[in-house]
Amino acid sequence: MARCYILASMSNILQHQHQSMETTYDMMLNLKDMFGDQNRAAGLVTMKELVSITHVEGTPIRDHILKMIALLNELEIFGAKIDTETQIDFELQAAEGLVVVKKSPSVLVPEKASTSKSKGKKK
């Protein structure tokens, strides 16, 4: 049954190439040989997008975090192993970049210089 589903989901050219294969395992190995490198390349592009993503000012933070979660899920589909703790670290690091701490600028005001001139008459 799985073999039929796989063949039905393929283009005509791929169907023709895989019809003679007896098991779904053989089909999957052949497909991996044919397209496996594309997954790696797509994963690298996704990882690059994840580490360089920035929040667009004026858009909701929620949308930014959801985009990050989508990228992490995409990486998981491509076979990347990113544990939950690292995923949270990615999100927290992005959130820290969104927080703007407004401080009043420090201004140094020089003190009035004192003079040592004596105001009295010389004796």
Side-chain angles (χ1 to χ4, degrees):
M1 185 66 105
R3 185 177 177 279
C4 291
Y5 281 123
I6 292 172
L7 286 171
S9 67
M10 292 180 177
S11 69
N12 291 337
I13 295 170
L14 288 175
Q15 282 177 358
H16 182 70
Q17 290 174 345
H18 291 87
Q19 269 182 332
S20 61
M21 295 182 183
E22 293 183 21
T23 66
T24 57
Y25 180 76
D26 293 335
M27 294 167 77
M28 296 305 290
L29 281 179
N30 190 48
L31 289 169
K32 187 174 182 178
D33 287 343
M34 292 173 72
F35 301 109
D37 290 338
Q38 290 180 358
N39 270 354
R40 182 172 170 82
L44 291 173
V45 168
T46 303
M47 179 61 86
K48 182 178 178 183
E49 186 177 351
L50 177 65
V51 297
S52 64
I53 190 171
T54 57
H55 176 255
V56 178
E57 191 173 333
T59 61
I61 293 173
R62 180 181 186 275
D63 292 346
H64 176 71
I65 298 299
L66 288 175
K67 174 68 174 171
M68 290 183 66
I69 291 169
L71 290 170
L72 290 166
N73 288 336
E74 202 173 311
L75 284 171
E76 188 175 325
I77 290 169
F78 291 131
K81 303 291 183 210
I82 301 175
D83 63 356
T84 306
E85 190 174 312
T86 304
Q87 291 181 18
I88 292 170
D89 288 345
F90 269 127
E91 292 173 26
L92 289 176
Q93 186 176 9
E96 284 176 0
L98 299 175
V99 176
V100 177
V101 179
K102 293 190 177 187
K103 295 181 182 177
S104 59
S106 300
V107 178
L108 296 177
V109 179
E111 290 183 16
K112 189 174 181 180
S114 63
T115 58
S116 59
K117 292 182 183 179
S118 69
K119 294 183 181 181
K121 293 184 182 176
K122 222 181 197 184
K123 292 186 181 180

